[in-house]
Amino acid sequence: MTQSKEERVHDVFEKIYNKYDTMNGIISFRRHIAWRKQTMKIMNVQKGMKALDVCCGTGEWTIALANTVGKDGEVVGLDFSKNMLSIGEEKVKNMHLDQVKLIHGNAMELPFEDNYFDVVTIGFGLRNVPDYYQVLKEMTRVVKPGGIVVCLETSQPTAFGVRHVYKAYFKYIMPIFGKIFAKSFKEYSWLQESASTFPGMNELANLFKKAGLEKIKIKPYTFGVAAMHLGVKPKS
């Protein structure tokens, strides 16, 4: 029986959860940390804000948001992999981040009321959902008018040499890294598939607009192998 994308992704993350943070560092040569820091600067999150991190995984961006909004803020991390969340819960507990709540849920149908959060993020998770537009539409629904929706994700470099190196790296090298460092060749083969078919920057910007966001900002990182997209929910 053929698995759906949702089932396949769930199985992948339930298996690789204990090596996920280590592998992120290896695969991106730790550039993902710098990309997130630069994205946070652009976002300009303030103390006391309410933030939601969709597809939060092991909670790295959730924790960064919590440290920014402070104890008077509120941060929710949502993911559909309980094993990934278990790693995040341990981090949150050890760091005594009482303003953080991690919950098990589906990005396609967010369990929150309309217009609740000041900022909604998704980091390296949108490429793994069954319907990019549906998730962006849900993120837009739960953010306040004037609030921001932010996606940090792998992208499709357009420069000729970079594009070919990028595709070769994801197709051949990344799964081998998965086999060596995480004993998960098959799972990391899937992750390269999800990255290779993800929309380019302009195509994703159009999905942001279609979801009801405006004032779209795009920030490419490292020759376009990753990019930030930021959109603002209209106030009226």
Side-chain angles (χ1 to χ4, degrees), residues 41-86:
K41 284 182 182 178
I42 297 168
M43 289 164 59
N44 193 29
V45 176
Q46 301 295 308
K47 296 287 185 186
M49 281 187 168
K50 296 176 181 175
L52 168 65
D53 186 22
V54 179
C55 299
C56 67
T58 60
E60 287 292 295
W61 203 352
T62 312
I63 290 167
L65 288 164
N67 288 331
T68 305
V69 304
K71 294 294 183 183
D72 293 329
E74 176 186 340
V75 181
V76 179
L78 175 141
D79 202 273
F80 75 160
S81 167
K82 289 184 177 179
N83 285 344
M84 294 282 279
L85 286 172
S86 70

Side-chain angles (χ1 to χ4, degrees), residues 1 30 32 48 65 67 74 77 108 130 137 140 159 162 165 171 177 180 194 203 208 214 216 226 232:
M1 185 176 175
R30 295 187 63 78
H32 71 292
L65 288 164
N67 288 331
E74 176 186 340
M108 299 276 287
K137 194 166 66 168
T140 303
V162 176
V165 171
K171 187 172 183 178
F177 280 174
I180 294 170
S194 67
E203 190 180 349
F208 265 60
E214 61 181 16
I216 312 298
V232 180

Side-chain angles (χ1 to χ4, degrees), residues 12 19 24 30 54 78 86 98 108 138 150 153 170 181 190 226 231:
V12 166
K19 296 284 187 179
N24 264 1
R30 295 187 63 78
V54 179
L78 175 141
S86 70
D98 297 331
M108 299 276 287
E138 277 290 277
V150 183
E153 186 56 270
F170 265 85
F181 297 106
W190 155 250

Side-chain angles (χ1 to χ4, degrees), residues 5-208:
K5 180 177 180 179
E6 191 168 14
E7 290 168 335
R8 192 176 176 191
V9 171
H10 184 265
D11 285 351
V12 166
F13 286 102
E14 288 288 87
K15 288 174 182 172
I16 67 172
Y17 71 98
N18 60 338
K19 296 284 187 179
Y20 182 77
D21 288 339
T22 301
M23 286 303 300
N24 264 1
I26 292 169
I27 288 167
S28 74
F29 303 99
R30 295 187 63 78
R31 293 307 301 156
H32 71 292
I33 297 171
W35 299 336
R36 187 173 64 240
K37 285 182 178 178
Q38 290 178 54
T39 296
M40 289 285 284
K41 284 182 182 178
I42 297 168
M43 289 164 59
N44 193 29
V45 176
Q46 301 295 308
K47 296 287 185 186
M49 281 187 168
K50 296 176 181 175
L52 168 65
D53 186 22
V54 179
C55 299
C56 67
T58 60
E60 287 292 295
W61 203 352
T62 312
I63 290 167
L65 288 164
N67 288 331
T68 305
V69 304
K71 294 294 183 183
D72 293 329
E74 176 186 340
V75 181
V76 179
L78 175 141
D79 202 273
F80 75 160
S81 167
K82 289 184 177 179
N83 285 344
M84 294 282 279
L85 286 172
S86 70
I87 303 293
E89 285 164 355
E90 193 66 27
K91 294 178 189 176
V92 168
K93 181 181 176 182
N94 291 339
M95 298 175 75
H96 306 289
L97 296 172
D98 297 331
Q99 70 272 44
V100 174
K101 182 179 181 182
L102 298 180
I103 66 172
H104 183 243
N106 192 332
M108 299 276 287
E109 192 174 351
L110 296 174
F112 309 107
E113 62 188 69
D114 297 356
N115 310 318
Y116 184 79
F117 296 98
D118 298 290
V119 55
V120 183
T121 61
I122 186 165
F124 304 103
L126 189 60
R127 70 177 185 265
N128 294 315
V129 303
D131 187 329
Y132 312 132
Y133 169 64
Q134 172 63 22
V135 171
L136 289 173
K137 194 166 66 168
E138 277 290 277
M139 292 170 71
T140 303
R141 177 183 66 78
V142 301
V143 79
K144 295 176 181 177
I148 58 173
V149 170
V150 183
C151 173
L152 176 59
E153 186 56 270
T154 55
S155 192
Q156 306 298 338
T158 55
F160 179 79
V162 176
R163 183 172 76 246
H164 285 73
V165 171
Y166 171 85
K167 287 185 177 295
Y169 173 74
F170 265 85
K171 187 172 183 178
Y172 301 111
I173 306 300
M174 195 176 82
I176 292 171
F177 280 174
K179 183 176 182 179
I180 294 170
F181 297 106
K183 305 295 187 287
S184 301
F185 181 87
K186 185 174 73 171
E187 285 74 22
Y188 280 89
S189 294
W190 155 250
L191 292 182
Q192 70 85 14
E193 285 179 42
S194 67
S196 67
T197 57
F198 193 69
M201 288 177 227
N202 292 332
E203 190 180 349
L204 184 56
N206 288 333
L207 285 177
F208 265 60

